[in-house]
């Protein structure tokens, strides 16, 4: 019994060591994170994800003022993923202060996703987020269907540079920049963000897409266009991460179509140091975090890797 207990404890210690990682100064018990946009509005829903085993969580993107978002339908299921045009519904950054207090007690890194309609607004929201105790902020400059605050910024390296520089100047917490794949050269944009001071890059946000109902000839989303997420975009995420990895030195947080441990490993082999999970929660529930983590650990163990670092970017050796 005592011997069993020893081996169990030893295995547990090795697993903990193998899975722990630091990304942009954030200490994660495992490399899975909640992606922005799903279950990220309230302290309670974020707590559910933390309890389910996420290594860190990212909130829904918050701005200076509350926003109701677009009219319904805002989400459509396609045969290869979800198409959404939520329209940035959020209660405004100041309303997140109370939620933040509860979340801080968990000890799990809380990343506040923010957006802005101007440079000044980005700085103000970032300051508010840092003041309420965000462990990092993720700049959402990549929503595919928001005019002036979304991918228009993430496609313009000059504008992006200015925003990242000013936000970095204003706050003392790590700044992560979430990029859009809807650009000609994502590596160039990532390089600009890194040069401006970004501590990490999240790749990728959703891909601009559309669905039309054949009988009525109507676009299915009220906003007509939306962002595609889920299995369809995983190969795009892998390619983007692979390209970005070659151009920057700061860590990449992979996002796009992760639903199981193989997906997570694939993004890491391309160059991601951690992975975000979003759409898969809608189909598998928050349990997806523990199953992905267990699968990653079993893979590391089977392949003889001592830690996650040994795995990141390995595909570049071929
Ligand atoms: O709220 C949204 O409609 C939304 C955002 Br902010 C985003 O960054 N990506 C997305 O697919 N939807």
């Amino acid at each position: 019994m005592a011997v069993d207990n020893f081996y169990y404890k030893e295995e547990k210690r090795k697993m903990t060591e193998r899975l722990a990682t630091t990304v942009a100064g954030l200490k994660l018990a495992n490399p899975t994170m909640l992606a922005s946009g799903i279950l990220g509005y309230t302290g309670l829903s974020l707590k559910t994800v933390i309890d389910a085993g996420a290594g860190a969580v990212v909130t829904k993107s918050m701005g200076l003022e509350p926003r109701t978002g677009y009219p319904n339908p805002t989400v459509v299921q396609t045969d290869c993923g979800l198409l959404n045009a939520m329209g940035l519904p959020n209660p405004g950054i100041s309303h997140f202060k109370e939620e933040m207090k509860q979340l801080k007690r968990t000890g799990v890194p809380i990343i506040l996703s923010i957006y802005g309609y101007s440079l000044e607004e980005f700085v103000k929201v970032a300051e508010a987020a840092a003041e309420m105790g965000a462990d990092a902020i993720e700049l959402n400059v990549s929503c595919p269907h928001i005019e002036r605050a979304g991918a228009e910024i993430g496609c313009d390296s000059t504008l992006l540079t200015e925003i990242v520089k000013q936000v970095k100047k204003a706050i003392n917490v790590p700044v992560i920049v979430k990029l859009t794949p809807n650009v000609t050269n994502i590596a160039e944009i990532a390089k600009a963000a890194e040069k401006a001071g970004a501590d990490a890059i999240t790749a990728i946000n959703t891909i601009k897409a559309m669905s039309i109902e054949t009988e009525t000839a109507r676009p299915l989303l009220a906003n007509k266009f939306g962002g595609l997420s889920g299995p369809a975009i995983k190969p795009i995420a892998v390619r983007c991460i692979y390209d970005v990895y070659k151009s920057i030195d700061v860590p990449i947080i992979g996002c796009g179509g992760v639903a199981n441990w193989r997906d997570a490993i694939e993004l890491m082999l391309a160059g991601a140091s951690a992975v975000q999970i979003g759409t898969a929660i809608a189909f598998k529930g928050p349990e997806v975090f523990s199953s992905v983590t267990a699968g990653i650990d079993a893979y590391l163990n089977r392949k003889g890797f001592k830690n996650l670092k040994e795995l990141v970017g390995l595909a570049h050796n071929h």
Side-chain angles (χ1 to χ4, degrees), residues 41 62 64 66 91-100 132:
Y41 293 92
M62 313 261 170
L64 210 49
I93 189 81
S94 60
H95 284 79
F96 206 69
K97 202 168 172 181
E98 279 310 305
E99 318 285 320
M100 203 63 189
M132 66 179 70

Side-chain angles (χ1 to χ4, degrees), residues 10 29 44 55 58 115 148 164 178 208-209 228 245 283 300 313:
E10 190 54 15
L44 198 64
V58 188
Y115 69 92
R148 296 189 295 120
V164 177
K178 185 168 184 178
K208 193 169 185 180
L228 184 64
Y245 185 79
F283 300 104
L300 293 175

Side-chain angles (χ1 to χ4, degrees), residues 36-37 41 60-61 70 74 84-89 115 140 142-146 178 205-207 226-229:
S36 178
Y41 293 92
K60 173 71 184 162
S61 300
Y70 296 146
T74 53
N84 90 83
M86 308 294 292
L88 269 169
Y115 69 92
N140 186 354
S142 45
C143 178
H145 47 260
I146 295 282
K178 185 168 184 178
N205 205 320
T206 53
I207 290 157
L228 184 64
S229 61

Side-chain angles (χ1 to χ4, degrees), residues 29-226:
N30 71 70
T32 65
M33 294 183 180
L34 172 70
S36 178
I38 289 204
L39 294 177
Y41 293 92
T42 67
L44 198 64
S45 59
L46 287 160
K47 179 77 171 32
T48 306
V49 174
I50 290 169
D51 291 345
V57 291
V58 188
T59 66
K60 173 71 184 162
S61 300
M62 313 261 170
L64 210 49
E65 307 291 340
R67 252 182 81 100
T68 43
Y70 296 146
N72 283 322
T74 53
V75 184
V76 173
Q77 189 168 348
T78 73
D79 45 19
C80 56
L82 292 182
L83 187 54
N84 90 83
M86 308 294 292
L88 269 169
N90 77 96
I93 189 81
S94 60
H95 284 79
F96 206 69
K97 202 168 172 181
E98 279 310 305
E99 318 285 320
M100 203 63 189
K101 274 188 198 156
Q102 306 164 26
L103 291 167
K104 288 300 282 180
R105 289 187 208 124
T106 63
V108 168
I110 313 297
I111 302 166
L112 252 155
S113 170
I114 66 163
Y115 69 92
Y117 282 95
S118 65
L119 175 60
E120 293 72 25
E121 225 175 274
F122 262 105
V123 171
K124 276 189 190 156
V125 186
E127 283 172 341
E131 201 171 301
M132 66 179 70
D135 295 293
I137 63 159
E138 186 178 80
L139 298 179
N140 186 354
V141 290
S142 45
C143 178
H145 47 260
I146 295 282
E147 275 176 28
R148 296 189 295 120
E152 278 169 47
I153 301 170
C155 290
D156 180 339
S157 54
T158 312
L159 188 54
L160 179 63
T161 295
E162 207 42 46
I163 290 170
V164 177
K165 267 191 182 161
Q166 295 303 327
V167 168
K168 276 294 291 180
K169 218 162 117 199
I171 61 170
N172 227 343
V173 298
V175 174
I176 302 164
V177 179
K178 185 168 184 178
L179 296 184
T180 172
N182 302 306
V183 288
T184 312
N185 188 343
I186 192 169
E188 236 173 61
I189 304 278
K191 185 83 205 152
E194 182 190 50
K195 240 177 122 187
D199 298 282
I201 297 294
T202 300
I204 55 176
N205 205 320
T206 53
I207 290 157
K208 193 169 185 180
M210 187 177 189
S211 258
I212 297 169
E213 214 276 316
T214 45
E215 291 309 307
T216 58
R218 288 175 76 94
L220 277 165
L221 289 169
N223 186 58
K224 298 189 176 124
F225 303 105

Side-chain angles (χ1 to χ4, degrees), residues 4 10 12 122 140 156 178 209 254 273 279 281 299 303:
D4 280 358
E10 190 54 15
K12 214 52 198 155
F122 262 105
N140 186 354
D156 180 339
K178 185 168 184 178
S273 294
T279 303
I281 302 168
Y299 176 87
K303 293 282 193 182

